[in-house]
Amino acid sequence: MLKVLVGLIVAAILLFLFVANFSAAEYRYECNGQITANGSEQPATLFLKLERYRWWVGLWSDSKGSAWVELPNQTVSYFGHVTEAGDLLQFWDSPKKFSGNFSSLSGAIGVDLGGFGVFDGSCKDIRQ
């Protein structure tokens, strides 16, 4: 009886470790485009780290992933709620505040960075 209980505990721990470590695939992009703030446009480079959740995360979450957007030496924005509309990933500050989108098909991105402005551009995959 004790062996069965220990076996079940070990199996539960291994399952938890698997789910915790392999529930998301990470992608990184470098994005070139324009940032618009206070009526003026400036060229800018932005970096996007995107985590896309595996199918089983949908058993307990309605988000398809999370995203970090970095404007080097200025700001980092985190979007903890990502939804999918075909090839378009939509970023939300909260479930009711839409903040931008990213096309996994074309690489186009448009994202509101709060007080830093709105970035529009295109992204290319970077491997690190």
Side-chain angles (χ1 to χ4, degrees):
M1 180 70 163
L2 185 59
K3 284 184 179 183
V4 171
L5 183 59
V6 170
L8 288 174
I9 291 172
V10 168
I13 290 171
L14 290 175
L15 179 63
F16 173 78
L17 290 173
F18 176 81
V19 168
N21 289 319
F22 298 104
S23 288
E26 182 178 292
Y27 303 90
R28 293 173 183 249
Y29 299 91
E30 179 180 345
C31 309
N32 293 302
Q34 301 285 328
I35 190 157
T36 304
N38 301 322
S40 66
E41 290 184 355
Q42 295 181 347
T45 300
L46 177 136
F47 294 89
L48 169 65
K49 181 172 86 168
L50 180 64
E51 285 190 343
R52 296 189 72 175
Y53 297 153
R54 307 274 192 221
W55 67 266
W56 59 80
V57 176
L59 298 173
W60 61 83
S61 174
D62 62 347
S63 179
K64 298 295 183 182
S66 58
W68 290 259
V69 176
E70 177 184 347
L71 193 57
N73 299 320
Q74 292 185 46
T75 188
V76 175
S77 298
Y78 171 72
F79 304 103
H81 191 80
V82 175
T83 57
E84 272 184 333
D87 290 318
L88 193 64
L89 300 175
Q90 301 168 325
F91 304 147
W92 302 81
D93 270 339
S94 67
K96 294 186 179 182
K97 186 173 183 290
F98 177 75
S99 294
N101 55 53
F102 171 71
S103 171
S104 60
L105 180 62
S106 68
I109 187 170
V111 64
D112 184 350
L113 300 173
F116 290 90
V118 175
F119 179 87
D120 286 302
S122 63
C123 302
K124 64 179 181 180
D125 189 17
I126 55 175
R127 306 285 176 179
Q128 294 183 343

